[in-house]
Amino acid sequence: MNIGKYKIKLIIFDMDGLMFDTETLAFRYWKEAGKKFNCKIDDEVFKKSIGLDIAKEEEVYRKYYGACFPFEKVNNEKMKIEENHI
């Protein structure tokens, strides 16, 4: 594709957060999954985890909820809820 004097070879299209409000849905899934394990997921903790890879995300949750926080179980449940919703 040519636009003016430029030949476009590649287009990167990022819908996440631009076209779809996925953060609101993700927070809803985290809260729902947390309830299953008697954990109240706080808005501020969730906000600090946005955009992080899974290891950094786990660090954030363990920092606020302690080493005993069942991160893997809650995250797996969150992913199940998300898949069912989609």
Side-chain angles (χ1 to χ4, degrees):
M1 175 189 323
N2 292 317
I3 296 181
K5 64 180 180 177
Y6 302 101
K7 184 176 181 181
I8 297 175
K9 295 180 181 180
L10 174 72
I11 295 175
I12 298 174
F13 189 66
D14 178 12
M15 297 185 315
D16 191 28
L18 295 175
M19 295 181 69
F20 304 109
D21 182 8
T22 55
E23 290 173 7
T24 299
L25 291 172
F27 185 46
R28 187 172 96 193
Y29 304 146
W30 269 105
K31 286 171 63 172
E32 193 174 327
K35 284 181 189 177
K36 183 172 181 177
F37 296 94
N38 297 316
C39 302
K40 183 178 185 283
I41 305 299
D42 183 81
D43 295 22
E44 291 304 313
V45 176
F46 174 74
K47 287 177 187 176
K48 290 180 186 295
S49 72
I50 293 172
L52 300 178
D53 65 33
I54 193 73
K56 294 288 185 190
E57 188 176 37
E58 183 174 1
E59 285 179 23
V60 169
Y61 280 88
R62 291 199 188 279
K63 176 182 176 185
Y64 286 90
Y65 296 115
C68 293
F69 178 74
F71 178 83
E72 188 173 313
K73 290 179 181 179
V74 176
N75 187 51
N76 287 339
E77 181 64 23
K78 185 239 353 156
M79 290 190 311
K80 286 179 192 174
I81 294 166
E82 183 176 14
E83 288 172 10
N84 288 332
H85 184 252
I86 291 170

